[in-house]
Amino acid sequence: MKLARFDAGRGPRPALVRVDGIVDLQEQPGGFDSIAAIVTGGAAALDRVRQLDAAALVTHEIGGVRLLAPVERVGKYLAIGMNYCKHLAEAERIGVPAPKQQLWFNKQTSCISGPYDPIDPGVTEKLDYEVELGLVIGKPAKYATEETAREHIFGYFVANDVSARDWQFHSPTFTLGKSFDSHGPIGPWIVTADEIADPHALDLHCYVNGEIRQSSNTREMIHNIYEQIAYLSTAFTLESGDLIATGTPEGVGVGMIPPVFLRPGDRVRCEIDNIGVIENRVIG
């Protein structure tokens, strides 16, 4: 199933996305008032959504609403750096040393924006893009193993880890340069985990003004998704609704020769097979 949040003029509402349109889940008898309620509700909540899918009528055409970031009340937004071999190589070439273990940083949750919302550069002069497979934690995870990690994944989404490269190294944690307002577009919806047979076999692409910049497959990850969940949950509990961005492949602007950064008017399109597309215009 595809779960989204939308606004049709009455404020944010949770939705089920179907081929023929979307179903407002808040309007349905026994429905839900948020995506977070479904995420935390686990299998019973998903079963209820499936029942609504079978019985409910479409309430809106998808082109007639504004899609929002597909989950609310995010506690943590964690992202792994240099997790594709060729991206690691391009990072080393510009002077960023290879990490000795998984390299994690926070994106402050205030950066999260919708799948088609504008990107505001703010004060950065080195605005960059990073297409990534994102995931939503469902059942809380503490000391998960690689073998059990999958049961903690609620679903997947497309992420653009927008980066202010001139601010990224103001702090060794990267957080400042990764967390400008509007620098976390995600969506266009959450595809529930049961719909993705193998999250390590997905093509992902990023285009700037129609020109392809990144093209890879999630099989090229250095640390796979299950290793990531096991590693993080050894340190702290991953809670329902937490977001993880699983790394970006080669082709980022800072790695080009010479570097090419985003400018006002540029359109960045990120897409992942079997999940969807987000597209954001740089303003300023």
Side-chain angles (χ1 to χ4, degrees), residues 67-127:
L67 289 178
L68 309 173
V71 65
E72 60 278 270
R73 298 197 293 275
V74 175
K76 297 187 283 293
Y77 188 5
L78 302 157
I80 189 170
M82 292 180 279
N83 194 39
Y84 283 72
C85 289
K86 292 182 180 179
H87 178 51
L88 176 61
E90 69 181 356
E92 288 186 294
R93 179 173 50 76
I94 61 174
V96 182
K100 294 181 173 60
Q101 62 280 317
Q102 295 185 32
L103 176 65
W104 287 94
F105 55 89
N106 290 310
K107 286 180 76 73
Q108 301 290 4
T109 59
S110 54
C111 81
I112 294 171
S113 57
Y116 307 110
D117 289 351
I119 296 170
D120 182 353
V123 297
T124 183
E125 296 180 356
K126 294 183 177 180
L127 186 69

Side-chain angles (χ1 to χ4, degrees), residues 6 8 30 33 36 38 50 60 70 73 101 113-114 127 129 153 158 164 175 185 213 226 229 231 233 243 256:
F6 76 98
D33 62 3
I38 303 172
R50 291 187 186 97
H60 299 277
R73 298 197 293 275
Q101 62 280 317
S113 57
L127 186 69
Y129 51 83
I153 301 172
V158 182
T175 297
R213 296 286 184 86
Y226 309 138
I229 291 172
Y231 183 83
S233 69
L243 307 183
M256 299 176 71

Side-chain angles (χ1 to χ4, degrees), residues 161-172:
D161 177 19
V162 180
S163 303
R165 300 298 187 192
D166 45 357
W167 279 67
Q168 184 172 334
F169 295 97
H170 284 197
S171 164

